[in-house]
Amino acid sequence: MLTVDLRRLEVRRGQWVLDAGCGGGRHAFAAYRLGAKVVALDLEGEAVAQARHILSIMPPQEEDGSLFLCLRADLLRLPFPDGFFHRIICAETLEHVPDDAQAMAELVRVLRPGGRLAVTVPRYWPEKVCWALSPSYRRQPGGHVRIYKGHQLAGAFQKLGLRLIGRHYAHALHSPYWWLRCLMGHLQQDGQEPLPIRLYHQLLVWDICHPHSPLRWLEEALNPIMGKSLVLYFQKPWRA
């Protein structure tokens, strides 16, 4: 299930698309299937390997012009020239990066004039609940180092010259799941998570596997209220 709406981002065949902090590669794969030239990048080697595996076994819908490259690289020092990418996706990544200002500057640097950037982070108040319920939630290795307010994140990119062109919230049904994990996240003696967490996880997996699930309608209705992720869309102005 995607966090970024690739229709809003206007991903097209033949465009160079960067998935910065690709994780398992879900956004990279979706852009690749649309015929884009995709670079999936992450600091974690395991994530890069997983993205490479997914992209290599799944053919694109559009054969002309599509290709992919999976790289292990640092978001603070992107190995690309200025203005290289038509589109950039940075999903659920900046909250993990201590020097987020440098990461934002690098994303803007490699975005070409007229290009679009989609950034997603955990929404302020659902994330605040997680931090309050479980001090260990944010102390995990590679965990979240900050909570963003929407206007602060938008303002940071606007100061770098981008124009905010859209926003929405996503994954409302994931918020209670993470609250439950923070509240009951201790392992049982058999090493499994408590039964309510396992059942809720199974429900989310079922929903992901059934595109016409009625839960999609419920989530759409709840997203403005309790969506787990904030999604912002920016455009880089054309040079004068």
Side-chain angles (χ1 to χ4, degrees):
M1 185 179 296
L2 300 181
T3 308
V4 173
D5 185 343
L6 298 189
R7 294 169 299 179
R8 280 195 174 192
L9 193 58
E10 296 189 355
V11 172
R12 299 284 187 265
R13 180 190 306 181
Q15 291 177 335
W16 281 99
V17 177
L18 172 64
D19 187 0
C22 64
R26 57 199 173 102
H27 287 103
F29 172 62
Y32 175 63
R33 292 195 69 193
L34 292 174
K37 299 179 175 69
V38 177
V39 177
L41 179 148
D42 204 287
L43 189 59
E44 298 296 329
E46 184 176 344
V48 174
Q50 183 178 352
R52 182 181 294 113
H53 174 71
I54 291 174
L55 287 162
S56 64
I57 64 175
M58 302 293 282
Q61 289 180 336
E62 304 286 353
E63 293 293 343
D64 295 335
S66 62
L67 59 85
F68 70 86
L69 178 64
C70 299
L71 295 176
R72 184 177 183 183
D74 192 345
L75 187 57
L76 303 182
R77 294 178 294 276
L78 292 174
F80 310 108
D82 296 355
F84 186 79
F85 291 98
H86 298 90
R87 301 290 185 265
I88 297 177
I89 299 166
C90 186
E92 310 299 304
T93 297
L94 289 177
E95 68 274 12
H96 298 274
V97 181
D99 191 355
D100 63 336
Q102 175 64 19
M104 293 179 199
E106 279 290 275
L107 292 172
V108 173
R109 179 184 68 79
V110 300
L111 181 64
R112 68 175 53 191
R116 294 192 174 193
L117 163 70
V119 177
T120 89
V121 296
R123 187 179 186 173
Y124 181 82
W125 82 262
E127 181 75 353
K128 197 76 171 177
V129 172
C130 289
W131 284 39
L133 289 175
S134 174
S136 63
Y137 169 80
R138 61 187 178 93
R139 294 174 184 167
Q140 300 296 324
H144 300 178
V145 298
R146 73 181 59 81
I147 305 177
Y148 289 102
K149 291 184 177 179
H151 71 276
Q152 293 173 335
L153 182 61
F157 279 103
Q158 287 170 323
K159 288 180 180 178
L160 291 170
L162 300 191
R163 180 169 61 92
L164 181 66
I165 58 174
R167 61 182 292 160
H168 63 83
Y169 300 102
H171 308 321
L173 297 182
H174 290 232
S175 291
Y177 170 73
W178 282 101
W179 298 337
L180 194 61
R181 285 200 63 174
C182 289
L183 195 63
M184 304 179 59
H186 58 280
L187 294 177
Q188 295 178 339
Q189 290 185 353
D190 60 1
Q192 292 185 331
E193 291 181 314
L195 181 61
I197 297 177
R198 283 183 278 148
L199 292 176
Y200 201 135
H201 184 264
Q202 291 174 11
L203 178 66
L204 294 177
V205 171
W206 179 86
D207 180 50
I208 291 171
C209 295
H210 294 79
H212 302 293
S213 162
L215 292 178
R216 300 292 177 91
W217 305 334
L218 176 62
E219 185 163 72
E220 284 295 325
L222 291 175
N223 276 337
I225 303 169
M226 52 187 288
K228 180 72 168 65
S229 295
L230 165 67
V231 189
L232 300 177
Y233 300 87
F234 300 93
Q235 186 164 28
K236 191 172 189 177
W238 292 95
R239 291 193 182 97

